[in-house]
Amino acid sequence: MSTSEELRKRYEAAFMPNYGVPPVALVRGEGCRVWDADGTGYLDLIAGIATSSLGHGHPALAEAVSRQVATLAHTSNLFLHEPEVLLAERLLDLLGAPGRVFLTNSGTEANECALKLAIKYGRTTGRGYLVAAENGFHGRSMGALSLTGKHAIREPFGPFGMDVRFVPYGDAAALRAAVTAECAAVFLEPTQGEGGVVPPPAGYFTAVREICDTTGALLVADEIQSAIGRTGAWFAHQHEGVRPDILTLAKGLGGGLPVGACIGLGPAGGLFAKGDHGSTFGGNPVATAAALAVLDTIERDGLLAHVAEVGTGFAAALAAIEHPLLAGVRGRGLWRAAVLTRNGSGAVEAAARTAGFLVNAVQPDAVRLAPPLVITAAELASFTDALPAILDQATKEL
């Protein structure tokens, strides 16, 4: 087997340089731990960017995928199969609302579908522009990127051929001023994930819903990262009792398998006509079987309550740490950011890795912590116990 250094050299020679060269070459995982090609173990506090909901090697996921791939691995959209129907029905049941589902392979594709729905709604109702949030993230394809409010990744690829107006996230007054009867849709994350796990003020989404109802704009909730138990509820918008018109999902839905969904609730579910959208791999039998196993396991094992309980304890333990580099913690459930007093998240990520923990420098002053939903309080405590020394080491590098 190749060493980590050998794999990094081969990676650098074979791949486009957009990711740089990742520092760790992983070869296997079990539960919430992973091992690299040199045999070094780490506690995984990233979970594939809030994706590996059940951790690594979970028997329910392995069994569902193995059974399905041995039975029927692919059909295309020319034929239907029961796992995709079961998944669509299950998602609508969890939402408690009538609607229609389009299954995708990723979050970006789910947001592309939502964008097409919004554009069609706008053209049929005479509405010409969209509203999204500054520092929001919805994907890197050209459509999704047009909605992404991060200047550094958006501007090099513009213009985008559509009118998208950006407002400060969490500012209801700014949103109210931006959304008129000419607005087709508002695209927002219930908490900004790539922005640094930034939650809005309490009541913000209630105000957003009221603004959209008043003006007739569609409310699109991008829950690519925040859904499927990540915050202690099936969907983060449920914390405020607000129902979007369109909901996008991915990441944690498949537990590591590529699957996403765009769900139109109420009238939004009927916007597409035959031929308006499609996907060869979307709703793949293996991916949908994996998603069903994830949903079944979360429900059977009471993981929503577990996430709420251990997530609250985790946040309290982080908040109790006094260190010159640590400003505090934000987020909900098992979706947190350790906020720094100055830019230095890269140094913290590196020091944590040396100490045996995988974390993510999501913003210069914020470290994202999104472990598998099955992580234990004891595993989380091992990180919080080690964090002061990690911060000490990071400070030396700054």
Side-chain angles (χ1 to χ4, degrees):
M1 179 181 292
S2 298
T3 66
S4 293
E5 182 59 28
E6 290 168 344
L7 284 171
R8 284 194 291 267
K9 289 180 179 178
R10 289 165 57 191
Y11 181 101
E12 186 174 22
F15 280 87
M16 293 184 183
N18 49 293
Y19 294 128
V21 180
V24 178
L26 297 179
V27 296
R28 69 181 180 94
E30 181 179 342
C32 295
R33 297 193 66 79
V34 291
W35 286 265
D36 67 16
D38 302 320
T40 303
Y42 307 88
L43 183 65
D44 182 7
L45 299 174
I46 303 175
I49 313 180
T51 296
S52 301
S53 309
L54 306 183
H56 304 277
H58 195 286
L61 189 62
E63 194 279 330
V65 168
S66 299
R67 182 180 67 249
Q68 187 59 53
V69 78
T71 304
L72 183 68
H74 179 67
T75 64
S76 82
N77 56 41
L78 299 177
F79 309 96
L80 65 84
H81 55 88
E82 190 171 26
E84 68 177 347
V85 177
L86 289 171
L87 179 57
E89 292 173 338
R90 185 72 177 279
L91 290 171
L92 291 172
D93 182 63
L94 291 174
L95 286 162
R100 299 291 183 89
V101 177
F102 182 86
L103 294 175
T104 70
N105 308 287
S106 68
T108 293
E109 291 174 61
N111 283 331
E112 288 285 344
C113 179
L115 178 58
K116 287 180 72 173
L117 286 171
I119 289 172
K120 185 167 186 182
Y121 173 72
R123 289 181 178 173
T124 58
T125 58
R127 297 164 180 269
Y129 71 93
L130 306 167
V131 172
E134 296 171 2
N135 296 317
F137 183 83
H138 301 286
R140 292 179 183 266
S141 61
M142 291 299 283
L145 190 58
S146 72
L147 299 163
T148 292
K150 298 181 74 172
H151 179 86
I153 65 173
R154 171 187 164 86
E155 293 308 314
F157 297 98
F160 296 96
M162 63 186 73
D163 186 358
V164 181
R165 304 175 188 181
F166 293 93
V167 297
Y169 184 70
D171 187 335
L175 185 69
R176 194 178 303 275
V179 179
T180 71
E182 304 301 315
C183 176
V186 175
F187 283 75
L188 291 171
E189 302 160 85
T191 287
Q192 290 190 326
E194 298 303 309
V197 193
V198 180
Y204 177 64
F205 260 75
T206 301
V208 173
R209 178 72 272 178
E210 183 272 325
I211 291 166
C212 289
D213 288 342
T214 299
T215 60
L218 297 177
L219 171 54
V220 183
D222 177 342
E223 292 225 37
I224 305 303
Q225 282 193 48
S226 60
I228 317 300
R230 178 55 53 187
T231 66
W234 283 112
F235 311 100
H237 69 263
Q238 292 175 329
H239 290 295
E240 282 201 25
V242 170
R243 180 177 295 165
D245 299 296
I246 299 172
L247 174 69
T248 58
L249 309 171
K251 292 194 182 292
L253 179 60
L257 274 289
V259 62
C262 176
I263 305 174
L265 297 172
L271 285 169
F272 277 160
K274 184 177 179 180
D276 277 351
H277 201 45
S279 172
T280 297
F281 291 99
N284 172 273
V286 177
T288 51
L292 288 167
V294 168
L295 297 179
D296 287 344
T297 303
I298 289 173
E299 186 170 55
R300 183 192 67 232
D301 293 353
L303 291 182
L304 297 184
H306 172 77
V307 168
E309 180 181 351
V310 300
T312 298
F314 186 38
L318 289 168
I321 295 172
E322 295 185 4
H323 192 280
L325 189 56
L326 186 64
V329 60
R330 62 185 178 225
R332 195 165 197 159
L334 286 174
W335 197 30
R336 304 284 176 171
V339 184
L340 307 180
T341 54
R342 57 179 167 138
N343 292 349
S345 61
V348 174
E349 179 184 298
R353 188 165 58 247
T354 299
F357 303 94
L358 298 183
V359 301
N360 176 225
V362 66
Q363 287 289 311
D365 64 346
V367 176
R368 176 167 47 190
L369 305 165
L373 307 186
V374 296
I375 198 164
T376 66
E379 288 171 321
L380 291 170
S382 71
F383 173 70
T384 53
D385 288 347
L387 186 55
I390 291 170
L391 295 172
D392 284 343
Q393 182 58 42
T395 301
K396 294 177 183 178
E397 304 299 324
L398 295 178

